[in-house]
Amino acid sequence: QKEVEQNSGPLSVPEGAIASLNCTYSDRGSQSFFWYRQYSGKSPELIMSIYSNGDKEDGRFTAQLNKASQYVSLLIRDSQPSDSATYLCAVNRGSTLGRLYFGRGTQLTVWP
Amino acid sequence: NAGVMQNPRHLVRRRGQEARLRCSPMKGHSHVYWYRQLPEEGLKFMVYLQKENIIDESGMPKERFSAEFPKEGPSILRIQQVVRGDSAAYFCASSPTYGGTGVRASYEQYFGPGTRLTVT
């Protein structure tokens, strides 16, 4: 079983729609959860972090965490073509600093 | 430039040569992580360092790879006797000093632009 799994994609949505990206993780002791955006040929860019159950909103982005289900998601409202990228889910297993476990990523395309 | 810096951005080495990759963390950050991204694969953790200490090297290949973060200067990832399978993007990330900007902020890792290594 992989540490972090993401829906395989690719995901294609029209401009203005809501894009929904999902991620599950295997370690119940995981404490910290992150979403990164990576444009082709570029480095990952941190866009959201979430640590507690529930929703966290930042602009057009909403992260949702359900520790009981070991599930984290990212919603992108009013999707724009500039949101087209690969979205990486990352998990830190413990409450201490350290390595991140990444999913393979979901490629999102927003078409005009 | 307040971001994580890496150099070189592109590196070409022939099989058997040594590759040396450098990373300077963001200002105020004392934790450095190295990750490798192979074509069509996800990011894989390699090593976690603080100044003069290797904290976790569980992701490092047992041979040919080493990393350091000296008291002065950048962190260095060294690959000796490179092989074609080492061709990948190598990313460095840094995170803040624990508690320096809030406990939770310390967990957030910020990535540099990466070094694309090509072994011919």
Side-chain angles (χ1 to χ4, degrees), chain A residues 4-26:
Chain A
V4 180
E5 296 203 56
Q6 297 185 237
N7 47 338
S8 55
L11 178 65
S12 181
V13 301
E15 185 173 357
I18 296 175
S20 177
L21 304 158
N22 304 314
C23 173
T24 57
Y25 58 94
S26 61

Side-chain angles (χ1 to χ4, degrees), chain A residues 27-42:
Chain A
D27 187 346
R28 282 197 172 275
S30 298
Q31 297 285 331
S32 309
F33 308 88
F34 308 92
W35 284 99
Y36 286 83
R37 177 175 63 197
Q38 186 174 26
Y39 293 111
S40 181
K42 302 295 185 182

Side-chain angles (χ1 to χ4, degrees), chain B residues 45-70:
Chain B
F45 168 83
M46 299 182 75
V47 63
Y48 163 33
L49 309 105
Q50 295 180 25
K51 286 283 187 181
E52 299 185 282
N53 282 302
I54 297 174
I55 307 301
D56 179 359
E57 57 182 345
S58 59
M60 288 277 272
K62 293 288 184 262
E63 298 178 349
R64 302 188 298 108
F65 286 73
S66 63
E68 62 177 2
F69 190 13

Side-chain angles (χ1 to χ4, degrees), chain B residues 72-112:
Chain B
E72 301 291 338
S75 174
I76 295 174
L77 179 68
R78 184 182 291 112
I79 311 172
Q80 296 177 305
Q81 299 177 324
V82 296
V83 301
R84 288 206 171 127
D86 296 333
S87 295
Y90 292 82
F91 293 102
C92 168
S94 70
S95 61
T97 303
Y98 184 76
T101 55
V103 173
R104 290 290 170 76
S106 305
Y107 304 157
E108 297 173 354
Q109 297 180 21
Y110 297 87
F111 282 77

Side-chain angles (χ1 to χ4, degrees), chain B residues 16-34:
Chain B
Q17 290 185 319
E18 178 179 285
R20 192 170 295 199
L21 289 60
R22 298 175 187 79
C23 168
S24 296
M26 287 177 69
K27 187 175 181 179
H29 288 193
S30 60
H31 305 276
V32 167
Y33 311 81
W34 286 92

Side-chain angles (χ1 to χ4, degrees), chain A residues 85-102:
Chain A
T86 296
Y87 289 79
L88 305 172
C89 174
V91 174
N92 180 286
R93 292 175 67 177
S95 59
T96 57
L97 298 162
R99 66 186 294 176
L100 293 178
Y101 292 84
F102 283 85

